[in-house]
Amino acid sequence: MIANAIVSLGPWAWIIVGIVLIGIELLAPGVFFIWLGLAAIATGVLDAAFDLSWQLAALIFAVLAVAAVGFGRTLARPSAQHDTEAASLNHRGESLVGRVFTLETGIVDGAGRIRVDDSSWRVTGPERPVGAQVRVVRIEGTTLVVDDA
């Protein structure tokens, strides 16, 4: 009885299923059901335009669903720049190697400080006065190792 009602809807059944799937996406967001819903709506439009058999409509829906989910995954994938930023999040000091900075406090007994943007870094290296230019040569833990610029 329910099957007859669904079959009697024809292409509208696909469109209704698509709207229901998109509604599920709104209730439980996960960026997955939206693509299935769009594939179902597209199948309904194709079914209305070409009067497809139910077997062909189901096959078209399967192909469109796979394509739509694949397209959605590429849209949701973070960019390469974001990947490198996330990978270096806990290794910010490595990006400072090779750069030249001015000493905030002189290097006395092998230790001093430089200012990088809004943070202050501990540095080690040869004795230098306040204001001297130093180049970061490597990082050891949270300490920058510097030498003459």
Side-chain angles (χ1 to χ4, degrees), residues 16-17 19 32 44 52 74 79 83 97 133 139 144 146 148:
I16 291 169
V17 166
I19 291 170
F32 181 75
L52 306 173
T74 59
S79 66
D83 287 343
V97 174
Q133 297 287 310
I139 183 167
L144 303 175
V146 297
D148 291 330

Side-chain angles (χ1 to χ4, degrees), residues 27-52:
L27 294 174
V31 192
F32 181 75
F33 286 112
I34 186 122
W35 304 113
L36 297 178
L38 292 174
I41 290 172
T43 302
V45 169
L46 289 173
D47 191 5
F50 299 108
D51 193 29
L52 306 173

Side-chain angles (χ1 to χ4, degrees), residues 78-95:
S79 66
Q81 178 184 3
H82 180 67
D83 287 343
T84 56
E85 286 176 5
S88 67
L89 179 63
N90 292 323
H91 304 284
R92 294 276 186 215
E94 291 175 6
S95 66

Side-chain angles (χ1 to χ4, degrees), residues 119-132:
S119 55
S120 179
W121 287 76
R122 182 177 187 274
V123 296
T124 60
E127 304 260 337
R128 296 288 174 259
V130 173

